Amino acid sequence: MLDNLTQRLARVMKTLKGEARLTESNIADALREVRLALLEADVALPVVKDFIAAVKEQAVGEEVLGSLTPGQALVGVVHREMTKVMGEANVGLNLATQPPAVILMAGLQGAGKTTTVGKLAKFLKDTQKKKVLVVSCDVYRPAAIEQLKTVAGQAGAEFFPSTTADKPVDIARAAVDWAKRHYHDVLLIDTAGRLAIDEAMMQEIAELHAAIKPIETLFVVDAMLGQDAVNTAKAFNDALPLTGVILTKLDGDARGGAALSVRHVTGKPLKFAGVGEKLSGLEPFHPERMASRILG
Ligand code: GDP
């Protein structure tokens, strides 16, 4: 079992008892512990560096209030800075538009996009009584279209059929038209997964975005990617004007460092967390809970 950050800092900072201020030299060891804790939680190295620099800037010169040890004072700064990066509170979906509110899903293959479309459809239906239509623009894998159809059935959402002979932009336009004519509140668009960052595929989803102009463009990313999440996030954020992130597979062993990395490089709010394979395995993302999970 790893000690939590408070215990780790208490250990390295006990020699500092009685010091009235945090200084560059008296927090050096402690910052090394923070750095290690973040790396153990799978936060990407460049993100760790930026984060530590920000903590240092905030901490140096900070007064250690009477009842606190310097270690506790530094933990306070770390938590404050983490909350600042992760966002103060959950940010929900923006559906405030003339219906249908179109939501485009983007991410690598296997990230959990199709499952998450089902989860979101169920969430919107159960909690907000929305009438939801889903469509797959994955014209490369017939199995992906079939998978979405199954998931839609489980979620109680309507499925707009598509085939691998169609063009993604045409499919999406037809689905938007159908949703308008049948008074759907929300249209969820699933897209082809990219196994790795692929220029042509990125171009395709950028064109899809330009044609459809969704109100939400959500980047779905697997928390188990760990440090690699940062490069994927950068590529999608450069290709598309993302409005939010959904971090999946947080029910696994991932410590959640990907959350900090993705937030840091995209600046976009994490809106939901995937916490299981079932359609009920979706939770609104809570930054402060994730901060505690990352800090241990
Ligand atoms: P896609 O290729 O991005 O559409 O990914 P899928 O939706 O097909 O999901 C890939 C795999 O990840 C499937 O086996 C899903 O059951 C699984 N999966 C998706 N989200 C979660 C999650 O939050 N937790 C767990 N444990 N598995 C998930």
Side-chain angles (χ1 to χ4, degrees), residues 108-115 119 141 147 248-249 251 274-277:
L108 293 184
Q109 188 169 323
K113 281 182 305 301
T114 306
T115 310
K119 289 175 175 180
R141 292 187 313 138
Q147 185 193 347
T248 62
K249 308 187 196 180
D251 50 314
V275 292
E277 294 192 74

Side-chain angles (χ1 to χ4, degrees), residues 96-212:
T97 182
Q98 178 101 351
V102 179
I103 303 179
L104 183 69
M105 311 292 278
L108 293 184
Q109 188 169 323
K113 281 182 305 301
T114 306
T115 310
T116 306
V117 167
K119 289 175 175 180
L120 278 178
K122 180 175 161 52
F123 175 85
L124 290 167
K125 187 172 157 265
D126 291 355
T127 64
Q128 300 180 31
K129 306 269 173 284
K130 299 289 188 196
K131 185 175 169 190
V132 181
L133 181 68
V134 305
V135 65
S136 173
C137 287
D138 188 344
V139 296
Y140 306 95
R141 292 187 313 138
I145 301 176
E146 273 307 303
Q147 185 193 347
L148 184 67
K149 186 177 180 181
T150 307
V151 161
Q154 289 165 355
E158 195 178 331
F159 170 77
F160 185 84
S162 49
T163 77
T164 51
D166 302 325
K167 288 205 193 86
V169 170
D170 295 341
I171 296 171
R173 283 206 174 112
V176 170
D177 187 51
W178 179 274
K180 272 185 191 153
R181 285 191 288 113
H182 295 83
Y183 306 104
H184 286 277
D185 301 305
V186 181
L187 168 63
L188 295 167
I189 302 181
D190 198 6
T191 58
R194 287 124 185 88
L195 265 178
I197 306 306
D198 169 319
E199 271 302 314
M201 297 287 258
M202 282 301 192
Q203 179 79 23
E204 182 192 281
I205 198 166
E207 280 168 15
L208 189 55
H209 181 280
I212 298 302

Side-chain angles (χ1 to χ4, degrees), residues 57-68:
E57 197 181 301
Q58 293 297 314
V60 170
E62 173 134 334
E63 229 177 293
V64 179
L65 297 177
S67 59
L68 294 183

